[in-house]
Amino acid sequence: VDFLERSANICGAGNISAAHTLANQLGHLPLALSMAGSYMQRCDVDCSEYLARYIDSGSSSALLGHQAVVASSLKMSLDAIKKENPTAWETLHLLGWLGPDQINKALVRSLFRAKEAQAKSEAVSEAQEKALLAKSEARYAATKFVLGSLALSSLSLVLLRRRLFSRIPASVGIVTALFVSASAAVPVSSKRRQVVTSVENREAENTANTLNTSRHASFSPNEFEQTDLIWKILKSFSLLVVKDAKGSIHRLLAQALRMSQNEKDSRRNLAICAQAVHWSFKPEQVDTWQDAGNMLEHVKAVVFHTSELDGASTLETAILSREAGVFSAMALNRFNEAQCSLELSLKILEGIDRASAARTRALATTLHELGRVFRYQGKFRKSEEALRRALASRNEVAATGPAAQQGVAATLHELGVLEIKKHRLDSAEAFLRQALDLRHGLGLVGDTEMDISVEAQLAATLHELAAVQVARKPPQLDKAWGMLQEALGLNMQIGQRAATLKQLARVAIRRGEFGSAEKSLAQALELYVELYGEKILHINVAAVKFQQGALAFHREQFEQAWIHYSECLRARRHVYAYSQGNHLEVSSTLHELGCVAYSQNRIGKAAEMLHAEKEILNQLCEANSAQQQQMLQARLTNLTWLRKCAKNIGDEEGARKIAMERTSLKTSEKHQEHAETAARTNGRPPSHDAVSLQRELLCCRLLARDFALGRSKGKGDDADSGQLRTALAGVSREIEKCPSCPMKGTAVYFHRVITESLSGPEKWSSMLDACDELRDTLREHGLQVNDTVQSKKH
């Protein structure tokens, strides 16, 4: 009541009593009270008068729900607005179908233009229908006239034959025939007009209070003045809340506005809104991103409401929803929202009965984009399913032209990227090579814009092929460097160039070319800032920060490394907030922060980061089965570092417990993998490739132990290191050939640890630990492994 009294300046005992009654009628709902107070102020009526009008309107009820209360209060405001300015009334009904926020005057003007265009289109259609009807009636009358004439002629002939025609004057016969003919034609025409008029009258009666009365509404020649006037009216009735030139409509109010419209008006108004929300987003044109961001929620609202009406969704609606999803993922990193938009697009497309090449292309593109979003979310199985469906659809229309073949290449490329994420390098390279060959085969067509697009696609595939070479064991750094340099020589988008520079920096770090890496990372960051803005927490910016942290760590610039990794962590936690930060990219950043803190001798901080990493990995292990091998290795590495921290501070008991946990984890995983392998092979003995892998592992383990023990005693030379690297290369070859089995997982981990341990003396203890763990695994597989010299446990 106090709120109502303040908003409407209510005074006097009678009005205050009426305010109490009104507040009870409106359920003390702030939105309804605000509209009531604004109505009193705007229409210059006191509270008693408003209450009387409210009761007379038939909306009074103390038992109304929130929606009904808002609708009843809204009705009085709408009636007042309609009397004052019908255009404002119409505009408000249109705004109910758009997003509740980000409403500005430019959007209102766009609604004006779309409404006028719709009215003109309807007027043209109506005129064409009337012209067609008039033409049909004229033909019908002419036909009746001709038929009447023919009937007269036939009658005349009959009378002549019977010698009766001479008794009737000729003029009388002709006039009679004409009269018969006219009377046969005119009544029918008149009757048809009466039927049409009757139908039109009933239609007018049924829609007298609908929005169609606004078709021929007059508009001010000055759109800007008209917009200002409507803006002012809606604000004065508290229907539009404006802050910093941006308007908002309460969601309950928007819902009430939509519910007040019949189905015909709903369809018409949604069509107007669809025209008004001009979607101009182009990924390669950065200057379109801001406008798209301002329009995004309106586009999503129009698509959603259209999909709720039976038969209202079209191919264009599905494409609009897909584009909204692409923007949400690419520009905003809102992957859950992107998934919803893309799945809605898919639902609309699957509901369109009419099969066509256009529908097939749209379906394939939506599935392609949905597959990418699933990959970003780490949902690899769903990603593969969507991409394979996209590839099948694109193959159906591949013969229709070069654009369709480019679509096939794009999906092959995306399947290759997915295989990289799953660390299936041979499969990834096969997909990427197919995409590259297909794109080379299409060639340049002489169209500047299309040729630039083809070059950008070629550059993207070269970039991913380089990533495959870097991920191989041992890494093919020279091949990767050449591919990335070739990619940079082609036309590509800003974001694409930044990503390639980042990958080039990664290769440069691995090659020890720190100066080159620093330069490439600085260029990549500059391009991303140009693309996304300086303060945007974007996943791609986080990736650059991660590489800058790695570079600083290699240079032993630990303070700078900490800063870069911390900025990366902040961005990644923001991006993956939808999953409470439970993502491998977040856990890997925490791990690197732990390593940096350990190098700075901040053991407490290192343990804090590593425990945070451990918690995320445990959560992911429970929820995700697509990356089990990768998460297993991450968990084992995490426990190794936690044990180092415990030992460093003299916590022997804590170190012992962590070691037991690590052993238990490995044992349980090995038992599970062994059971799965046994189920797949039905008890068959290990393959020849698995036996060859065991043989290479035994040789490599022997060299690794000798190297670590010799170096720890001040012995050994570069020749020993060379022999060990050669043995590691042999293990890598056997890993590629070996089918999935527990031994392969162990071999991958052993190979990685030994390779990393060769980088410096501080990691030789890890080499011995890896040898001991491999010994235990080999024994579990029935191989007798005995060490004549036992490594000292740390």
Side-chain angles (χ1 to χ4, degrees):
V1 176
D2 291 339
F3 173 77
L4 187 59
E5 290 178 359
R6 289 195 304 271
S7 62
N9 295 323
I10 296 173
C11 58
N15 284 323
I16 291 175
S17 176
H20 281 273
T21 303
L22 180 61
N24 289 331
Q25 290 283 345
L26 297 179
H28 297 273
L29 192 65
L31 175 60
L33 292 170
S34 175
M35 286 192 290
S38 297
Y39 180 98
M40 296 177 208
Q41 291 282 76
R42 190 70 170 71
C43 299
D44 195 22
V45 298
D46 59 25
C47 192
S48 298
E49 175 65 18
Y50 181 89
L51 179 60
R53 294 184 183 185
Y54 181 77
I55 294 173
D56 288 344
S57 70
S59 303
S60 175
S61 173
L63 301 177
L64 290 174
H66 285 180
Q67 295 178 2
V69 167
V70 171
S72 63
S73 184
L74 172 64
K75 183 179 183 300
M76 293 187 63
S77 297
L78 286 177
D79 290 342
I81 293 173
K82 187 175 183 180
K83 290 178 182 178
E84 179 178 344
N85 190 310
T87 304
W89 181 79
E90 297 163 6
T91 302
L92 184 60
H93 282 80
L94 291 170
L95 289 173
W97 296 104
L98 299 176
D101 303 313
Q102 293 290 327
I103 299 170
N104 54 31
K105 292 184 179 181
L107 178 62
V108 175
R109 288 193 294 273
S110 183
L111 288 171
F112 287 165
R113 288 190 285 269
K115 189 160 69 70
E116 286 184 322
Q118 181 76 6
K120 289 178 181 177
S121 175
E122 290 171 352
V124 169
S125 298
E126 187 177 346
Q128 290 176 343
E129 288 177 4
K130 287 182 177 179
L132 184 61
L133 180 60
K135 189 175 181 180
S136 175
E137 290 177 348
R139 287 179 177 174
Y140 188 78
T143 302
K144 285 292 185 179
F145 182 82
V146 171
L147 290 174
S149 301
L150 291 174
L152 175 62
S153 301
S154 300
L155 179 60
S156 300
L157 290 173
V158 171
L159 292 174
L160 284 171
R161 288 176 180 175
R162 295 183 178 180
R163 299 179 179 275
L164 296 175
F165 188 77
S166 59
R167 300 178 185 177
I168 305 173
S171 59
V172 175
I174 294 172
V175 171
T176 302
L178 289 173
F179 177 78
V180 172
S181 176
S183 63
V186 173
V188 174
S189 177
S190 177
K191 184 177 180 181
R192 287 174 60 84
R193 281 199 299 271
Q194 289 171 2
V195 170
V196 172
T197 302
S198 176
V199 171
E200 290 176 346
N201 288 338
R202 286 199 302 272
E203 181 69 18
E205 290 171 0
N206 291 337
T207 60
N209 294 319
T210 67
L211 299 179
N212 289 334
T213 58
S214 67
R215 287 190 193 179
H216 308 293
S218 59
F219 287 88
S220 168
N222 191 328
E223 277 186 355
F224 293 90
E225 291 181 3
Q226 184 83 323
T227 302
D228 291 342
L229 177 59
I230 290 173
W231 196 262
K232 182 179 179 180
I233 292 172
L234 298 183
K235 280 178 60 180
S236 66
F237 279 93
S238 292
L239 302 177
L240 186 69
V241 179
V242 180
K243 184 178 180 180
D244 298 329
K246 297 289 179 64
S248 299
I249 290 181
H250 197 284
R251 284 164 175 76
L252 280 176
L253 173 59
Q255 185 179 33
L257 286 167
R258 294 193 297 272
M259 292 177 66
S260 69
Q261 303 173 45
N262 61 34
E263 183 176 346
K264 182 178 180 181
D265 292 335
S266 297
R267 291 178 183 273
R268 181 174 184 272
N269 286 341
L270 273 171
I272 292 172
C273 289
Q275 295 179 53
V277 289
H278 299 297
W279 185 254
S280 57
F281 170 65
K282 295 184 182 301
E284 67 278 6
Q285 296 180 12
V286 183
D287 55 349
T288 66
W289 288 32
Q290 183 174 353
D291 289 341
N294 294 335
M295 200 62 68
L296 178 64
E297 293 305 317
H298 300 309
V299 168
K300 288 164 64 177
V302 169
V303 170
F304 173 76
H305 294 311
T306 302
S307 69
E308 293 291 292
L309 289 176
D310 291 338
S313 299
T314 62
L315 183 63
E316 290 71 22
T317 310
I319 292 173
L320 195 60
S321 186
R322 182 190 73 212
E323 291 301 306
V326 172
F327 180 82
S328 296
M330 177 178 289
L332 305 177
N333 285 166
R334 297 176 185 171
F335 300 128
N336 275 10
E337 293 180 19
Q339 179 185 338
C340 290
S341 294
L342 290 166
E343 287 179 336
L344 180 56
S345 174
L346 191 62
K347 178 182 176 182
I348 293 171
L349 288 168
E350 290 174 342
I352 297 175
D353 295 332
R354 182 172 54 86
S356 65
R359 175 186 174 277
T360 302
R361 285 193 295 268
L363 184 67
T365 305
T366 298
L367 286 166
H368 176 96
E369 297 297 342
L370 186 59
R372 293 180 66 185
V373 169
F374 281 142
R375 173 171 62 81
Y376 296 149
Q377 295 174 308
K379 301 174 182 177
F380 293 162
R381 182 181 58 80
K382 288 187 175 182
S383 177
E384 183 172 0
E385 289 175 358
L387 290 171
R388 290 195 179 277
R389 285 184 62 192
L391 185 62
S393 295
R394 283 182 159 168
N395 280 326
E396 287 180 22
V397 294
T400 59
Q405 294 174 33
Q406 288 176 4
V408 174
T411 303
L412 287 169
H413 169 96
E414 188 59 33
L415 281 165
V417 176
L418 178 62
E419 292 298 282
I420 293 175
K421 290 294 182 182
K422 293 191 286 188
H423 207 71
R424 298 176 181 172
L425 301 182
D426 290 340
S427 176
E429 185 164 5
F431 279 122
L432 292 168
R433 289 289 180 188
Q434 288 182 61
L436 191 67
D437 292 344
L438 187 53
R439 285 169 171 170
H440 275 306
L442 293 172
L444 303 181
V445 298
D447 182 285
T448 303
E449 186 174 349
M450 186 173 292
D451 287 348
I452 290 175
S453 175
V454 170
E455 286 196 17
Q457 293 166 4
L458 287 169
T461 305
L462 286 167
H463 172 105
E464 298 301 338
L465 280 169
V468 172
Q469 304 308 318
V470 172
R472 289 201 177 279
K473 301 295 181 183
Q476 306 296 312
L477 298 179
D478 291 340
K479 285 185 179 180
W481 185 271
M483 290 175 176
L484 292 170
Q485 292 290 356
E486 183 181 352
L488 288 171
L490 298 170
N491 285 298
M492 61 175 75
Q493 302 168 15
I494 291 177
Q496 195 177 348
R497 184 170 294 278
T500 303
L501 286 166
K502 176 175 65 66
Q503 184 73 297
L504 192 69
R506 183 184 174 197
V507 174
I509 292 172
R510 300 285 291 273
R511 295 174 68 174
E513 300 171 358
F514 296 154
S516 174
E518 183 177 15
K519 181 180 178 182
S520 295
L521 288 172
Q523 291 175 352
L525 187 60
E526 183 179 349
L527 290 173
Y528 279 142
V529 168
E530 178 184 346
L531 186 59
Y532 306 121
E534 190 170 355
K535 297 182 179 180
I536 298 298
L537 298 175
H538 197 279
I539 190 171
N540 290 334
V541 176
V544 174
K545 291 293 182 182
F546 188 91
Q547 289 299 322
Q548 287 180 323
L551 175 59
F553 187 77
H554 276 83
R555 287 176 161 177
E556 298 186 356
Q557 299 171 350
F558 299 129
E559 187 62 34
Q560 196 62 35
W562 180 268
I563 292 172
H564 288 312
Y565 281 133
S566 296
E567 291 175 348
C568 173
L569 180 64
R570 185 166 68 96
R572 285 180 170 174
R573 277 178 166 166
H574 172 78
V575 170
Y576 298 114
Y578 65 85
S579 61
Q580 291 75 49
N582 293 328
H583 196 279
L584 274 175
E585 289 189 356
V586 177
S587 66
S588 65
T589 310
L590 286 166
H591 180 84
E592 296 303 326
L593 282 167
C595 294
V596 171
Y598 188 90
S599 300
Q600 293 175 307
N601 203 30
R602 295 192 295 159
I603 308 304
K605 179 59 72 174
E608 177 187 337
M609 296 293 106
L610 292 167
H611 277 297
E613 178 200 10
K614 180 183 178 184
E615 184 176 348
I616 292 175
L617 290 172
N618 289 340
Q619 293 286 339
L620 289 173
C621 188
E622 294 176 3
N624 195 330
S625 61
Q627 299 169 277
Q628 285 294 335
Q629 189 61 39
Q630 186 177 357
M631 285 189 287
L632 171 62
Q633 300 304 327
R635 293 173 74 191
L636 291 172
T637 304
N638 170 262
L639 290 171
T640 298
W641 277 88
L642 281 171
R643 186 177 64 176
K644 290 174 68 174
C645 289
K647 286 184 176 181
N648 190 284
I649 60 176
D651 184 6
E652 293 298 333
E653 179 62 20
R656 187 184 66 81
K657 289 181 178 179
I658 294 171
M660 290 176 61
E661 182 181 355
R662 191 174 187 278
T663 302
S664 175
L665 176 63
K666 288 190 64 179
T667 302
S668 62
E669 291 290 340
K670 287 171 184 174
H671 286 167
Q672 181 178 351
E673 289 182 357
H674 183 69
E676 291 174 354
T677 303
R680 289 195 299 269
T681 59
N682 295 319
R684 290 194 296 268
S687 66
H688 173 74
D689 291 327
V691 173
S692 299
L693 176 59
Q694 290 176 355
R695 189 184 306 115
E696 289 291 338
L697 283 170
L698 283 168
C699 295
C700 187
R701 178 182 177 279
L702 179 61
L703 289 171
R705 287 192 81 257
D706 290 344
F707 176 83
L709 291 171
R711 287 301 177 97
S712 65
K713 296 177 181 179
K715 301 178 181 179
D717 52 26
D718 292 338
D720 295 334
S721 174
Q723 289 179 353
L724 181 54
R725 291 184 187 278
T726 301
L728 285 169
V731 170
S732 179
R733 287 192 296 271
E734 293 301 328
I735 288 173
E736 291 293 336
K737 293 190 296 182
C738 184
S740 295
C741 64
M743 183 59 66
K744 182 174 182 177
T746 301
V748 170
Y749 174 71
F750 175 78
H751 186 282
R752 183 172 64 80
V753 173
I754 301 302
T755 302
E756 292 176 353
S757 299
L758 287 172
S759 62
E762 70 279 1
K763 296 187 177 181
W764 289 341
S765 61
S766 299
M767 186 180 295
L768 290 171
D769 288 341
C771 289
D772 290 347
E773 290 169 10
L774 177 59
R775 176 199 61 206
D776 296 340
T777 302
L778 290 170
R779 286 175 177 174
E780 288 175 4
H781 283 73
L783 297 177
Q784 294 298 321
V785 183
N786 297 310
D787 295 324
T788 55
V789 178
Q790 298 296 321
S791 60
K792 182 181 178 181
K793 297 291 183 184
H794 295 277

